[in-house]
Amino acid sequence: MVEKSVDLGEFMKYQLNPNRFENAVWLHNLANWSVALTVTFTKQKNTGNYRLHTDVVNTTRYLIRLINKDCFGHGTLRKGYCIASAFAIECGYDGRHPHVHATLSIPPHLDYESLRRIILKRANKLHSIGRQIDIQPYKDFGWFDYSLKTGIKNLVVEDIQKAHHQG
């Protein structure tokens, strides 16, 4: 009889997040995603402590609002125009390196490079965002699978936004 060994690490990951694959597929099907974004956060200036979860959530919300404003101008406020967006927060293997895995859509009147420039412009102006800003084309649901590797609890569900714009 041949015994089949089980990778304990994979087993524990599955136990912590048993629906990771299904959740990733669900998120993938919510929008026509175009951009995979990872943003790191700096330590707090006055205390040197790592940023709190609420700080990271609020800064990410603000960044997405600024991106929407650059994409749609006054249509963001007057008509509620926005790009599709979803993000998960992770703190690294030691819990001390807060970063966000975000996924965004491109509005019909912009191309990838234009949205990339908007993201960089806005992210670089926020003092709590570190200098590690990685912007890649979104390829498939594997990005969501990776973003959810530490659990669905890290997905900020209340901020999942479907695109709303003319065109």
Side-chain angles (χ1 to χ4, degrees):
M1 180 173 163
V2 177
E3 287 188 31
K4 189 173 183 181
S5 66
V6 175
D7 181 356
L8 191 57
E10 282 299 312
F11 178 74
M12 290 306 293
K13 279 194 267 183
Y14 179 77
Q15 291 297 84
L16 293 172
N17 192 4
N19 298 321
R20 182 170 142 191
F21 179 81
E22 291 85 0
N23 292 331
V25 171
W26 174 73
L27 285 164
H28 171 76
N29 291 324
L30 283 180
N32 187 16
W33 304 109
S34 309
V35 176
L37 170 67
T38 301
V39 176
T40 61
F41 289 80
T42 61
K43 290 182 177 179
Q44 294 175 355
K45 206 176 221 178
N46 53 346
T47 65
N49 294 332
Y50 292 96
R51 301 231 171 245
L52 300 173
H53 186 271
T54 54
D55 295 339
V56 174
V57 169
N58 290 334
T59 301
T60 305
R61 286 176 179 159
Y62 184 59
L63 174 62
I64 292 171
R65 274 197 307 270
L66 292 173
I67 292 168
N68 280 324
K69 190 169 190 287
D70 278 4
C71 289
F72 301 109
H74 294 294
T76 302
L77 291 175
R78 284 185 293 174
K79 298 179 181 176
Y81 289 167
C82 62
I83 58 174
S85 60
F87 63 93
I89 297 171
E90 195 178 328
C91 290
Y93 67 93
D94 60 359
R96 300 187 331 183
H97 296 91
H99 58 283
V100 167
H101 297 297
T103 314
L104 309 170
S105 66
I106 297 176
H109 65 282
L110 292 177
D111 60 8
Y112 173 81
E113 196 53 43
S114 299
L115 184 59
R116 187 178 183 287
R117 281 193 301 274
I118 289 170
I119 294 167
L120 284 172
K121 177 181 93 171
R122 289 308 192 163
N124 282 321
K125 288 186 178 182
L126 298 176
H127 65 85
S128 59
I129 291 182
R131 295 302 126 221
Q132 292 180 342
I133 302 166
D134 185 27
I135 305 168
Q136 300 291 327
Y138 175 85
K139 293 187 175 131
D140 57 31
F141 74 92
W143 172 247
F144 283 117
D145 190 44
Y146 174 76
S147 298
L148 299 173
K149 68 183 173 286
T150 56
I152 192 72
K153 68 186 181 308
N154 295 327
L155 179 67
V156 185
V157 176
E158 63 272 17
D159 286 314
I160 295 173
Q161 181 65 54
K162 288 190 176 184
H164 175 70
H165 46 72
Q166 198 172 21

